[in-house]
């Protein structure tokens, strides 16, 4: 490496934006509801040789944290670490951030994805290739049935199914059980086995009495039941796994390697939801899936309320991670956000997300698209 290479390898500038975007539909699920707008934090890093990379933090206050806290973490606590840090040592940066700041996984992920975006642009490779290479170029897309007005979701399905969208994850446990049963019956009556139904309780059920509820919904042949009970009710999760025919997927019960180890020891899950926002990075996500692979637990690409930047990173991660085989729910930019900061949204085709092949994250953001794609609440 030449002296010029050393000089150009570091981060020279950092901008962070707290933004708010309107959404098209309300979302109702076990741990909280969203309507009107969502907030996110966008991060722009610029290397000393003038290459720009983008990252995004999308916390949810009932799940991982607040956007305002992520903004402060990036501006006040991580900025001094990131400035000048060499692109050739992204893993070292993740360790330095963990030593300097507890938690704030979303903010650390934003830094990591922006660093990988710059590195990929510099060497002409996609982030998936930097993470080891592609094992898939498209990812089956799951759309969440979570509108408080179920009839609106059913109308959406009538539009989406003919376009090739086959996977639907129904948010259950928020409404009375009888209504959940009626809605599932309506979906099967309208579409039969042409659709893949998955159920997500988002911790809504109490362990006491949950077994009968879950036995009831099995008649609709769901592909999996996600997080039926609170995240610490692992003995109940293990009991469901033993006694039900439907696979149990852990989401809130699986944030990190310690959580996954306990799930494996207790045999409390058949699969896991890997959300980059909760695990804190693509490198950490691949490490988590390494342990999951050893236990033969497939991964599903979950989401919070991310926009196009973070979901571009999610597609690159899944493209490079063999065990992430259950698809993804990266539907926010196309189906929920009314606007986004990307010049062009990531392609969805025939019920799948198409992994961008351009360098870095494979996306383009300009000052124009940034200005028009979200309302800025704060900038630093």
């Amino acid at each position: 490496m030449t002296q010029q290479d050393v000089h150009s390898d570091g981060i020279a500038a950092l901008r962070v934006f707290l933004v708010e975007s309107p959404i098209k539909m309300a979302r109702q699920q076990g741990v909280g509801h969203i309507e009107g707008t969502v907030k996110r934090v966008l991060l722009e890093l610029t290397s000393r040789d003038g290459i720009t990379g983008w990252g995004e933090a999308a916390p949810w206050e009932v799940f991982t944290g607040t956007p305002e806290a992520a903004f402060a973490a990036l501006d006040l606590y991580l900025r001094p670490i990131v400035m000048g840090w060499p692109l050739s040592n992204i893993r070292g940066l993740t360790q330095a951030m963990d030593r300097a700041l507890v938690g704030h996984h979303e903010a650390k992920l934003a830094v990591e994805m922006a660093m990988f975006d710059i590195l990929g642009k510099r060497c002409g490779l996609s982030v998936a290739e930097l993470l080891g290479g592609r094992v898939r170029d498209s990812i089956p897309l799951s759309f969440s049935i979570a509108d408080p007005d179920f009839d609106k979701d059913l109308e959406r399905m009538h539009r989406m199914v003919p376009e090739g969208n086959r996977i639907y994850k129904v948010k259950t446990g928020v409404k009375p059980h009888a209504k959940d049963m009626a809605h599932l019956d309506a979906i099967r009556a309208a579409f039969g086995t042409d659709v893949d139904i998955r159920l997500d309780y988002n911790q809504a059920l109490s362990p006491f009495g949950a077994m009968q509820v879950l036995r009831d919904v099995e008649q609709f042949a769901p592909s999996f039941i996600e997080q039926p009970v609170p995240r610490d009710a692992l003995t109940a999760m293990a009991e469901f796994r033993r006694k039900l025919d439907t696979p149990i997927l852990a989401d809130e019960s699986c944030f990190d390697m310690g959580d996954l180890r306990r799930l494996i020891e207790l045999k409390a899950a058949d699969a896991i939801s890997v959300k980059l926002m909760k695990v804190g990075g693509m490198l950490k996500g691949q490490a988590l899936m390494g342990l999951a692979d050893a236990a033969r637990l497939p991964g599903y690409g979950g989401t919070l309320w991310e926009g196009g930047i973070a979901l571009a990173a999610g597609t690159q991660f899944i493209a490079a991670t063999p065990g992430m085989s259950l698809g993804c729910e990266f539907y926010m930019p196309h189906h929920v956000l009314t606007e986004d900061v990307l010049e062009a949204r990531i392609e969805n085709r025939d019920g799948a997300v198409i992994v961008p092949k351009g360098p870095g994250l494979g996306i383009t953001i300009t000052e124009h698209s940034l200005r028009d794609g979200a309302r800025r609440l704060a900038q630093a």
Side-chain angles (χ1 to χ4, degrees):
M1 182 177 287
T2 67
Q3 186 62 37
Q4 177 61 29
D5 289 332
V6 172
H7 176 73
S8 66
D9 194 37
I11 297 300
L14 181 156
R15 291 198 300 170
V16 59
F17 308 90
L18 176 64
V19 302
E20 185 176 45
S21 300
I23 60 175
K24 300 175 185 177
M25 63 191 77
R27 304 276 83 191
Q28 185 178 29
Q29 44 204 45
V31 292
H33 310 318
I34 293 287
E35 61 182 327
T37 63
V38 293
K39 293 178 183 177
R40 298 168 288 144
V41 179
L42 309 182
L43 174 69
E44 180 195 50
L45 298 182
T46 305
S47 66
R48 286 177 179 156
D49 55 353
I51 302 174
T52 297
W54 285 91
E56 179 179 347
W60 187 22
E61 59 271 18
V62 300
F63 198 96
T64 55
T66 68
E68 293 82 1
F71 180 89
L74 286 163
D75 181 33
L76 300 177
Y77 298 97
L78 298 181
R79 182 189 293 271
I81 300 169
V82 174
M83 293 299 295
W85 195 278
L87 288 161
S88 56
N89 190 10
I90 295 175
R91 193 176 295 278
L93 177 57
T94 64
Q95 293 175 327
M97 291 190 293
D98 284 342
R99 287 193 297 269
L101 188 64
V102 172
H104 294 283
H105 301 302
E106 303 93 342
K108 296 169 184 177
L109 167 64
V111 172
E112 184 202 59
M113 72 174 76
M115 294 285 281
F116 269 118
D117 193 24
I118 295 173
L119 186 60
K121 290 173 180 175
R122 172 181 286 180
C123 57
L125 297 173
S126 70
V127 171
E129 290 160 329
L130 296 176
L131 291 173
R134 293 165 180 262
V135 296
R136 54 181 67 89
D137 291 314
S138 65
I139 308 163
L141 176 65
S142 170
F143 181 79
S144 288
I145 303 301
D147 197 311
D149 186 341
F150 173 74
D151 290 338
K152 290 182 179 178
D153 266 335
L154 201 59
E155 290 173 10
R156 292 183 186 104
M157 290 185 69
H158 278 289
R159 294 194 301 269
M160 294 174 68
V161 171
E163 296 172 352
N165 295 280
R166 292 193 61 256
I167 305 174
Y168 296 89
K169 195 171 78 169
V170 184
K171 296 291 186 175
T172 43
V174 182
K175 300 171 183 176
H177 179 53
K179 279 197 172 182
D180 283 342
M181 295 289 286
H183 294 164
L184 293 170
D185 187 55
I187 292 172
R188 282 293 183 222
F191 304 103
T193 57
D194 289 341
V195 296
D196 176 344
I197 293 178
R198 301 161 177 199
L199 307 183
D200 184 4
Y201 281 87
N202 281 116
Q203 310 180 82
L205 299 179
S206 168
F208 183 80
M211 184 69 78
Q212 185 57 56
V213 171
L214 301 182
R215 283 179 171 148
D216 284 350
V217 298
E218 280 201 296
Q219 66 186 275
F220 299 105
S223 294
F224 61 68
I225 297 172
E226 181 173 341
Q227 201 64 48
V229 290
R231 68 182 305 263
D232 60 350
L234 297 185
T235 54
M237 295 269 284
E239 190 75 359
F240 303 149
R241 183 175 178 270
R242 282 192 295 271
K243 294 187 176 179
L244 297 175
D245 294 329
T246 306
I248 299 298
L249 183 140
D251 179 10
E252 289 91 335
S253 291
C254 187
F255 272 67
D256 55 28
M257 201 77 75
D259 288 344
L260 179 55
R261 188 173 63 248
R262 286 188 287 275
L263 286 168
I264 293 169
E265 290 170 351
L266 293 173
K267 299 181 179 179
D270 297 286
I272 61 172
S273 174
V274 181
K275 294 176 178 172
L276 293 181
M277 291 297 158
K278 67 179 180 179
V279 74
M282 291 177 280
L283 293 174
K284 290 180 178 178
Q286 286 197 316
L288 189 74
M289 280 309 302
L291 180 57
D293 289 343
R296 297 291 190 265
L297 301 182
Y300 170 69
T303 187
L304 293 177
W305 308 110
E306 298 98 318
I309 299 171
L311 295 185
T315 63
Q316 299 287 343
F317 162 72
I318 293 175
T321 310
M324 294 293 296
S325 60
L326 298 180
C328 71
E329 56 188 48
F330 297 170
Y331 64 88
M332 278 288 294
H334 278 270
H335 296 283
V336 179
L337 291 179
T338 61
E339 55 199 23
D340 198 11
V341 297
L342 306 189
E343 280 287 318
R345 301 189 189 203
I346 295 171
E347 183 182 4
N348 285 193
R349 186 195 318 142
D350 299 326
V353 179
I354 308 303
V355 183
K357 290 189 175 180
L361 294 175
I363 57 176
T364 300
I365 298 169
T366 64
E367 287 294 331
H368 179 271
S369 67
L370 179 64
R371 182 181 64 250
D372 293 347
R375 184 166 73 93
R376 296 188 196 183
L377 302 178
Q379 177 178 340

